[in-house]
Amino acid sequence: MNFEAIKNSLEDLNLENGFQPADLLDFPEEVVPILKQMMTRRGKSVADLSTALRWQESETSELLTILENKGLVQQKQKNNVMVFTANMK
């Protein structure tokens, strides 16, 4: 799936204000690995997530903004770096 298709799929998700592990089935398969990383670790930076996805940081930031606006991930400061964590229900 190309970036625009992934972006459109995320925008069309009917999830808001958190998600449960079973909801991962509704996400584009390309995004599931980073959501799992954010679920099991203490946050990932845009750079770390971009490396994991092999995407440009601008693309990763754009997808994270969509997820954050839906309340599915949240941003917080950790050791002077902004990291994203999954917003679990």
Side-chain angles (χ1 to χ4, degrees):
M1 187 178 289
N2 69 29
F3 176 75
E4 285 300 317
I6 293 168
K7 188 171 110 174
N8 291 336
S9 291
L10 290 176
E11 289 172 343
D12 292 341
L13 275 177
N14 289 324
L15 296 170
E16 291 184 0
N17 301 318
F19 65 96
Q20 300 177 26
D23 294 326
L24 290 173
L25 298 171
D26 296 329
F27 287 90
E29 66 182 57
E30 294 85 353
V31 177
V32 172
I34 65 164
L35 290 171
K36 286 181 177 179
Q37 287 180 21
M38 287 190 282
M39 289 167 57
T40 59
R41 298 200 177 110
R42 296 193 174 174
K44 300 294 267 177
S45 69
V46 172
D48 289 342
L49 294 170
S50 297
T51 299
L53 286 170
R54 296 186 180 128
W55 291 349
Q56 295 179 12
E57 286 189 24
S58 61
E59 293 174 330
T60 304
S61 291
E62 194 171 343
L63 294 182
L64 289 168
T65 297
I66 293 168
L67 293 170
E68 187 175 26
N69 288 341
K70 288 181 162 283
L72 302 174
V73 300
Q74 51 196 349
Q75 225 182 130
K76 55 176 92 170
Q77 183 126 1
K78 181 181 173 188
N79 299 327
N80 296 324
V81 176
M82 293 306 290
V83 296
F84 288 84
T85 58
N87 188 14
M88 305 300 297
K89 286 185 180 179

